[in-house]
Structure formats: structure tokens, C-alpha cells
């Protein structure tokens, strides 16, 4: 595709509900990242996928957060039992990095999550 | 743990001025340093990436430098234009492929 796409662009949910956020990376990119950006804050790393390796989940804030990447392409970030502090913009990025050589990240437009 | 800060938090300049945005990082074992711009309600757009073996990168009116020993990177914007108005973020990457972002500098270029 032309770039990284994310869906939905906006999501409003009630506290306690589960949500799924989707990321379609640039075709052929092996690395995929999820970040969270709260209002007025910098980007907070959540999780990183590289090829078929086990993902780096060190940034996930709690066990309510999980992510998977199917077939090395599309990724889904799931937040269970959402809380109001989960409200943020969730950004996905991909890169064509080779192992051990970080490469330029290309970001999607983000999903704005609002938990009421 | 890598920490990245950016100064100033906000900057307002008249059109045509040259300006410098600053980024500081605590871990000199940085593997690369990226500069991004973010427009309101949008994702991030990569501007420049400097590998640890490099001192600077240039793209058009933008020049980014990296000084690992002092833990600093600067983004120089020449002849600023209103279209440059955005938030500029820097991010330090380590060999383990993790990136830590600074809080950003919000730039306004006044016509």
C-alpha cells in the first residue's frame, strides 16, 4: 500500500468494554511498532514486532493490553476492560529494517480512543 | 534507561528566520536519532535519521546534527515558512531497536 493505515480513526467506548485497533503496515516492512500518545505528552512505546521473532512487549502498561501480528503483516492491538486513562491516540509504525540496523519509521494516522 | 528531552517546548518565530530545535538524551549508547514532524491530528512524518556513526544529515532546508559525547542533537531549519508550523519530535533508538521519543517542540512560524 501507499502508507501505513489504521482503523478505526476514532473510537469511543464505555469504561469496561474491550476494543480492537488495527494496523496495516507498508507492504514488505518486517518491523511494526505500536505507540500511545496521551494529550500533550510524548510517544510511549507499547510493543514491537520484528519478522517472526517473539515481540518485545516491554512497553505494555498492563496485562489488559495485548497485540498480535498475523502472517507478518496486519497487527491488532486489543485493550480489555478499558479504563478512562486508556484514552489516547494509538499510533502504529512500520519500517523495512534489517536485523540490527534500525531504519526509518513510517507512521500511520493513528486511532483516537476515548473511554467514557 | 534512555530519557529524551526537548527544548524549547514551544517556539514562535516570524517567517524567514533560521531556527534551532534542541534534543538531549541521557544514554550515549544511542544507535540512531530520528527527527519527526507531527501536524495536528495526524501521525508522524520522518524528516531525518542520523546513524550513530554519522555527525549530520541534510534534507532541503533541514539539517540535523548528532553529538553522542554530549548527548545532544539539533535540528536546524533555514528560512522558516508558515508551512513549517508543526510539532517536532526527536527519538533515540538503541541497538535493540527500541525508540524513546522526546515530548516535542511546538513550532509556529508567523506570516
Amino acid at each position: 500500500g501507499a502508507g501505513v493505515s489504521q482503523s478505526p480513526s476514532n473510537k469511543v467506548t464505555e469504561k469496561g468494554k474491550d476494543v480492537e485497533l488495527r494496523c496495516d503496515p507498508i507492504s514488505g516492512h518486517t518491523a511494526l511498532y505500536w505507540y500511545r500518545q496521551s494529550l500533550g505528552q510524548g510517544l510511549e512505546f507499547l510493543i514491537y514486532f520484528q519478522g517472526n521473532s517473539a515481540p518485545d512487549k516491554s512497553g505494555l502498561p498492563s496485562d489488559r493490553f495485548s497485540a498480535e501480528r498475523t502472517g507478518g503483516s496486519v497487527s491488532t492491538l486489543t485493550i480489555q476492560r478499558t479504563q478512562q486513562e486508556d484514552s489516547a491516540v494509538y499510533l502504529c509504525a512500520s519500517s523495512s529494517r534489517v536485523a540490527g540496523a534500525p531504519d526509518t519509521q513510517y507512521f500511520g494516522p493513528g486511532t483516537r480512543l476515548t473511554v467514557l | 534507561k534512555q530519557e529524551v528531552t526537548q527544548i524549547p517546548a514551544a517556539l514562535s518565530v516570524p517567517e524567514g528566520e533560521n531556527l534551532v530545535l534542541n534534543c538531549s538524551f541521557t544514554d550515549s549508547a544511542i544507535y540512531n536519532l530520528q527527527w519527526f514532524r507531527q501536524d495536528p491530528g495526524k501521525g508522524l512524518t520522518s524528516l531525518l535519521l542520523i546513524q550513530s556513526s554519522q555527525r549530520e544529515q541534510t534534507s532541503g532546508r533541514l539539517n540535523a546534527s548528532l553529538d553522542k559525547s554530549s548527548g545532544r542533537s539539533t535540528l536546524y531549519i533555514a528560512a522558516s515558512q508558515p508551512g513549517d508550523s508543526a510539532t517536532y519530535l526527536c527519538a533515540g533508538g538503541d541497538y535493540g531497536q527500541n525508540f524513546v521519543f522526546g515530548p516535542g517542540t511546538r513550532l509556529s512560524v508567523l506570516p
Side-chain angles (χ1 to χ4, degrees):
Chain A
V4 179
S5 60
Q6 292 185 246
S7 61
S9 56
N10 281 284
K11 177 71 176 178
V12 180
T13 190
E14 295 180 346
K15 178 181 174 181
K17 300 283 189 181
D18 298 351
V19 295
E20 285 189 353
L21 312 179
R22 177 187 168 106
C23 171
D24 279 279
I26 293 173
S27 178
H29 279 194
T30 58
L32 187 148
Y33 302 78
W34 282 100
Y35 296 91
R36 176 169 71 174
Q37 187 174 34
S38 301
L39 187 63
Q41 302 295 312
L43 265 68
E44 176 188 3
F45 166 77
L46 297 177
I47 188 169
Y48 162 71
F49 297 88
Q50 169 60 288
N52 296 320
S53 302
D56 177 355
K57 305 179 182 180
S58 60
L60 295 178
S62 77
D63 59 8
R64 296 186 296 105
F65 288 72
S66 63
E68 63 178 20
R69 188 178 185 193
T70 54
S73 181
V74 172
S75 177
T76 302
L77 177 69
T78 301
I79 309 173
Q80 296 178 309
R81 306 181 301 281
T82 52
Q83 304 294 313
Q84 289 182 330
E85 60 262 29
D86 299 334
S87 296
V89 175
Y90 289 81
L91 291 162
C92 174
S94 72
S95 69
S96 60
R97 77 179 1 180
V98 290
D103 206 344
T104 300
Q105 293 184 306
Y106 297 87
F107 278 79
T111 293
R112 182 176 298 279
L113 174 66
T114 303
V115 182
L116 302 177
Chain B
K1 180 183 176 184
Q2 180 74 276
E3 293 183 4
V4 180
T5 56
Q6 292 186 247
I7 294 174
L11 180 64
S12 184
V13 299
E15 181 177 5
E17 274 205 7
N18 303 324
L19 57 98
V20 175
L21 307 181
N22 296 291
C23 172
S24 297
F25 47 91
T26 55
D27 187 354
S28 62
I30 198 167
Y31 196 76
N32 69 12
L33 193 291
Q34 292 192 49
W35 282 93
F36 297 84
R37 70 173 279 168
Q38 185 174 30
D39 294 282
K42 302 287 182 63
L44 278 68
T45 300
S46 178
L47 299 173
L48 291 163
L49 180 150
I50 311 174
Q51 298 286 6
S52 61
S53 58
Q54 300 172 322
R55 294 288 300 218
E56 65 180 324
Q57 283 286 324
T58 298
S59 176
R61 294 181 294 108
L62 306 179
N63 176 276
S65 67
L66 175 64
D67 185 344
K68 289 179 59 177
S69 61
S70 66
R72 292 185 179 184
S73 176
T74 61
L75 179 67
Y76 175 82
I77 303 177
S80 58
Q81 303 172 357
D84 295 331
S85 298
T87 297
Y88 290 80
L89 297 99
C90 66
D94 65 16
Y95 189 80
Q97 305 166 340
N98 295 309
F99 289 89
V100 177
F101 282 77
T105 293
R106 190 170 64 255
L107 173 65
S108 297
V109 180
L110 306 175

